[in-house]
Amino acid sequence: RVLPAADMVPGWAAAVLGPQGAEAVANGGIVEAGWIIERRPGVQGVAGAADDGWVRLLDQAGRMIAAGEMVPGGLVQPRIVLR
């Protein structure tokens, strides 16, 4: 069975990005807070569930497009871009 990328790290919080945020991620740019259209908590009680600053970056269809890290100012820096 093949799992979606987002299911590999269910303990991480997620940020659903609008078009500007998804475009920024595709180019490795920092995601501004205003480009996040929805925030989702991580699943508690699973391996990897921690408030360590890592987040799943999702497009509007719910597909994980990157793994990012929270940086000062409420911004998210993509660290691993999947597409």
Side-chain angles (χ1 to χ4, degrees):
R1 176 175 163 208
V2 177
L3 294 174
D7 290 355
M8 293 188 300
V9 285
W12 292 5
V16 180
L17 306 176
Q20 282 184 297
E23 181 67 25
V25 166
N27 293 306
I30 289 180
V31 176
E32 296 182 16
W35 298 341
I36 299 171
I37 59 175
E38 180 185 352
R39 296 174 189 272
R40 299 178 184 169
V43 176
Q44 297 300 310
V46 298
D51 187 16
D52 60 4
W54 282 88
V55 295
R56 297 172 289 155
L57 298 173
L58 311 177
D59 65 14
Q60 287 181 288
R63 294 179 295 253
M64 186 171 169
I65 58 175
E69 189 172 18
M70 297 299 297
V71 295
L75 307 173
V76 181
Q77 174 66 60
R79 300 293 187 200
I80 302 168
V81 178
L82 303 174
R83 65 175 185 107

